[in-house]
Amino acid sequence: MPIETMFGGIANSHSVPTSYDDFVDEVTKGMKHASYLVGQELVKCQARQADYYNSKSRFQPYTIGDLVWIDGPAKQRDKLAARWNGPFRVSRVMNNGGFLST
């Protein structure tokens, strides 16, 4: 049984586009709105994930004499090559938490 017979009127509440240009405009408007909603959810999810990560992490400053591994540049790395270089000994600690190694 057709839905118009059961409930009366046209099944969806949207206007039926009368031309191809109207259809394209309606679809484009819908896609832009969907993209906006996805962007809003993405911002919320990023904030929630950052809060979770920050709640579990603790800053542990380096001290002179610590042994550290340094991440090598990804562009110069083969698939099976070692990712980290070291260990290196910390010789100087900077104010921003960075370090110099020997």
Side-chain angles (χ1 to χ4, degrees):
M1 184 174 240
I3 197 161
E4 290 87 3
T5 306
M6 291 173 56
F7 298 106
I10 297 177
N12 66 14
S13 62
H14 300 293
S15 62
V16 177
T18 56
S19 69
Y20 179 75
D21 291 334
D22 292 341
F23 173 75
V24 169
D25 290 342
E26 188 174 319
V27 169
T28 302
K29 189 185 304 181
M31 291 177 72
K32 285 181 181 179
H33 182 67
S35 176
Y36 172 77
L37 293 176
V38 167
Q40 295 299 312
E41 286 299 314
L42 182 64
V43 168
K44 286 185 212 173
C45 289
Q46 286 174 340
R48 186 171 54 240
Q49 289 171 354
D51 289 343
Y52 177 76
Y53 175 81
N54 292 335
S55 71
K56 302 285 183 192
S57 65
R58 290 178 284 142
F59 176 68
Q60 297 188 5
Y62 296 104
T63 58
I64 294 175
D66 284 349
L67 292 175
V68 295
W69 290 83
I70 299 176
D71 189 10
K75 292 181 181 177
Q76 298 175 359
R77 193 169 47 229
D78 290 332
K79 183 176 182 177
L80 299 177
R83 176 179 175 137
W84 302 95
N85 298 323
F88 295 100
R89 193 165 297 279
V90 173
S91 60
R92 182 175 166 203
V93 179
M94 307 295 209
N95 290 338
N96 64 359
F99 62 89
L100 293 177
S101 63
T102 55

